[in-house]
Amino acid sequence: MSRQTLYMIILSLILLIGVIAFSFFLLIPKGKEYRSLRLESKKEMQKLDLAQHRYDLTYNRLKEMQSQHRHMISAFETKFNPDRFERLYRKEFSDLYLTEVTTFESNGSFKVYEVNATSKITSPESFYTFVDGVNKSEWIVGVNFPIHFERDGDKIRSSFTIRVHNNEEKKKGVK
């Protein structure tokens, strides 16, 4: 065997040992690390897909509720005007008197006003028509119990309290 062939065999063995050492000490550990990271990434993607699905469901439900309750949402932004309230609902009653609007309580960014109303009506039906109208009004208004009805000749005298929820930030001009 010639010297050149011997050098080639030795060089081939050194390179073969180098490739095997490189594979065992670098490629195989990196491959195992890659597989574990890929598995972890797959689990994270599944969690992300689940979270995205939940988000989409919640977002769609929010949009659906916003479209269904658009009137209520806009009512929170409308400032309560007692004169306008009296003009709108005077037709339901022969007499409608609103006492002074006073601050009842504060709840975060909303104020609750209390309005005491006394009226004369011809039948309870007109009162319930008024209550239906209040539920569809441009303000967040609730008629509170007790509602007192008294006979006054051929009319019915009713007195009740209305609470109006009003957004303070709207009045201050902050959006």
Side-chain angles (χ1 to χ4, degrees), residues 62-80:
L62 171 68
K63 289 299 176 188
E64 178 184 316
M65 289 179 77
Q66 281 178 335
S67 67
Q68 286 176 353
H69 303 287
R70 185 175 354 158
H71 174 73
M72 243 185 270
I73 293 168
S74 66
F76 269 109
E77 298 172 356
T78 305
K79 185 177 178 186
F80 179 66

Side-chain angles (χ1 to χ4, degrees), residues 80-97:
F80 179 66
N81 183 343
D83 296 328
R84 180 165 162 70
F85 180 86
E86 198 169 333
R87 276 194 315 269
L88 283 173
Y89 296 107
R90 183 165 293 283
K91 64 183 175 218
E92 303 293 335
F93 303 100
S94 56
D95 295 320
L96 176 65
Y97 301 104

Side-chain angles (χ1 to χ4, degrees), residues 22 31 41 58 61 70 75 79 94 102 109 122:
F22 177 75
S41 173
T58 304
R61 180 72 178 135
R70 185 175 354 158
K79 185 177 178 186
S94 56
T102 57
S109 64
T122 55

